């Protein structure tokens, strides 16, 4: 199901394209197509402005609403439709960027280590990362994220391969 942002972008684009085709064909209804595209986007924008003001938020959307309203009031429907298309396109891109950022952040948080593999004597046990202490020897398998921050005690560090392809290191204070 398309979002409101997608719908407003489609309406603004349809108004611009339809009105432009009518204008090239010499049809008088081109002004109506541009005005209709602007009016639908302006209506959605006004609803968004009222909702934002109720939450105590003030944004630059007011400038876009004033621009579209003035263009319609002064008989410049093409200019209003272009502003509507710019506004709707910006909102669409913002929504796309928000969705992508949310997906990336979710993926990043999904990789956060919650447990660690700690050597105790000669065996390996899985423990919550909160229980790790300086001096613990842990195992970080290939492709895993190190479950702790550490401090290097020298200018170099070594992660050595285990016979089955794992790496381990000691925690330091």
């Amino acid at each position: 199901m398309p979002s409101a942002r997608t719908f407003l972008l489609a309406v603004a684009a349809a108004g611009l394209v339809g009105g432009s085709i009518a204008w090239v064909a010499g049809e008088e209804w081109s002004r109506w197509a541009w005005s209709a595209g602007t009016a639908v986007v302006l209506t959605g924008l006004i609803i968004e402005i009222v909702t934002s003001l109720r939450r105590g938020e003030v944004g630059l959307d007011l400038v876009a609403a004033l621009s579209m309203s003035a263009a319609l009031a002064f008989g410049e429907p093409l200019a209003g439709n272009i502003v509507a298309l710019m506004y709707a396109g910006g909102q669409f891109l913002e929504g796309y960027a928000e969705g992508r950022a949310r997906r990336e952040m979710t993926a990043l948080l999904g990789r956060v280590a919650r447990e660690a593999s700690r050597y105790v004597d000669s065996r390996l046990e899985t423990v919550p990362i909160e229980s790790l202490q300086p001096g613990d020897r842990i195992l970080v398998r290939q492709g895993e994220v190190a479950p702790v921050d550490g401090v290097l005690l020298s200018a170099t560090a070594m992660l050595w391969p285990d016979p089955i392809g794992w790496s381990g290191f000691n925690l330091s204070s």
Side-chain angles (χ1 to χ4, degrees):
M1 181 171 158
S3 69
R5 290 176 172 174
T6 305
F7 173 74
L8 292 179
L9 178 60
V11 168
L16 185 62
V17 170
S20 297
I21 291 171
W23 180 77
V24 167
E27 298 291 331
E28 185 62 33
W29 60 268
S30 62
R31 299 176 64 78
W32 290 103
W34 292 326
S35 295
T38 304
V40 171
V41 174
L42 181 58
T43 301
L45 177 55
I46 289 171
I47 291 169
E48 188 173 321
I49 289 171
V50 169
T51 304
S52 295
L53 288 174
R54 285 185 179 163
R55 289 189 306 243
E57 300 171 0
V58 179
L60 293 177
D61 293 344
L62 192 57
V63 174
L66 289 172
S67 298
M68 285 184 254
S69 299
L72 292 176
F74 291 116
E76 295 293 338
L78 176 57
N81 197 199
I82 291 172
V83 172
L85 182 64
M86 289 173 30
Y87 168 76
Q91 291 297 306
F92 177 81
L93 290 174
E94 183 179 315
Y96 175 78
E98 284 175 5
R100 185 169 179 181
R102 188 176 300 112
R103 284 188 303 275
E104 295 296 327
M105 185 58 76
T106 301
L108 182 63
L109 291 174
R111 287 190 40 89
V112 171
R114 291 170 179 75
E115 296 179 330
S117 298
R118 176 174 57 189
Y119 286 103
V120 177
D121 299 322
S122 61
R123 61 182 170 76
L124 200 58
E125 66 179 19
T126 301
V127 297
I129 60 169
E130 297 83 23
S131 70
L132 294 175
Q133 298 294 318
D136 285 350
R137 184 171 171 228
I138 63 172
L139 175 75
V140 180
R141 291 178 178 90
Q142 186 173 3
E144 282 186 336
V145 175
V148 293
D149 291 333
V151 177
L152 294 177
L153 297 178
S154 67
T156 61
M158 182 185 307
L159 297 177
W160 63 92
D162 222 22
I164 54 176
W166 297 344
S167 297
F169 60 92
N170 288 318
L171 296 180
S172 60
S173 54

